[in-house]
Amino acid sequence: MSQITFKSNPMTLNNELIKVGDKAPEFQVVDGTLAPKKLSDYDGKIKVIATFPSIDTPVCQMQVREFNKRAAEFSDDVVVLGISKDLPFAQARFCGAEGIDGVHTLSDYQNASFSLNYGLHINELALTARSVLIVDKDNIVRYFDLVKEQTDEPDYNAAVNALKEIV
């Protein structure tokens, strides 16, 4: 099992982490209207998947805002997905209040399909770990960055540079 920290306290993840080169597993989450969404719904697109523990915390909010800002620079072949276990209503409230339209927030609250399949379920908190994945049009993981200290932001520039190499 992988180890991360939350406020310097050791935490463990549920399973073996997804790795660069892996075929991205299918998952089922819901959008802000409770409509089911799956990885396959985004076939033909490069997926930037930004995961975070809770939209109601400052670092998670900064992460969604930053990816929303950067999404404007991405080509039409790229979709940005923000996945957490927040209720979809909380995600929609935040995005609506902030004018977030470049990140499609998705909730993994129903069955943790995403976080369990990708090894990102924090056992002690039952939340999704902060990470950034880039999945290409063939659903191969091309970039993966697990943020070791969950109260830190991801390396946005590294993710964008990796995306530029894929596009």
Side-chain angles (χ1 to χ4, degrees):
M1 284 195 214
S2 296
Q3 186 131 26
I4 57 172
T5 57
F6 180 77
K7 296 183 179 178
S8 300
N9 295 309
M11 301 280 147
T12 53
L13 299 176
N14 68 296
N15 207 343
E16 187 174 328
L17 285 169
I18 195 85
K19 295 182 286 312
V20 170
D22 286 352
K23 180 83 168 170
E26 185 66 270
F27 58 80
Q28 184 168 319
V29 292
V30 295
D31 68 11
T33 67
L34 297 177
K37 292 291 183 181
K38 301 179 294 188
L39 178 67
S40 56
D41 291 336
Y42 303 97
D43 282 352
K45 297 272 189 186
I46 297 168
K47 283 78 60 185
V48 175
I49 304 174
T51 67
F52 50 91
S54 175
I55 197 73
D56 287 321
T57 62
V59 177
C60 298
Q61 291 175 353
M62 285 188 289
Q63 179 177 330
V64 173
R65 282 186 199 110
E66 185 65 23
F67 275 108
N68 184 64
K69 182 174 78 175
R70 291 179 183 236
E73 304 165 11
F74 301 160
S75 76
D76 290 342
D77 290 349
V78 178
V79 62
V80 181
L81 309 177
I83 301 178
S84 71
K85 289 187 186 172
D86 289 296
L87 291 177
F89 316 114
Q91 293 174 337
R93 179 192 70 240
F94 172 77
C95 292
E98 295 283 327
I100 304 289
D101 58 5
V103 175
H104 303 270
T105 53
L106 301 170
S107 177
D108 197 25
Y109 88 98
Q110 288 182 331
N111 58 21
S113 167
F114 176 85
S115 59
L116 291 172
N117 287 340
Y118 286 67
L120 293 169
H121 174 84
I122 304 172
N123 291 330
E124 294 83 357
L125 303 175
L127 296 172
T128 304
R130 186 180 319 283
S131 72
V132 179
L133 298 99
I134 299 177
V135 177
D136 69 15
K137 291 180 181 182
D138 296 319
N139 289 332
I140 303 299
V141 177
R142 300 284 301 277
Y143 175 86
F144 176 63
D145 177 34
L146 173 66
V147 178
K148 295 298 183 186
E149 169 53 56
Q150 292 294 291
T151 60
D152 291 343
E153 291 179 79
D155 186 338
Y156 304 110
N157 290 332
V160 169
N161 289 338
L163 178 62
K164 288 176 182 175
E165 292 179 17
I166 297 164
V167 175

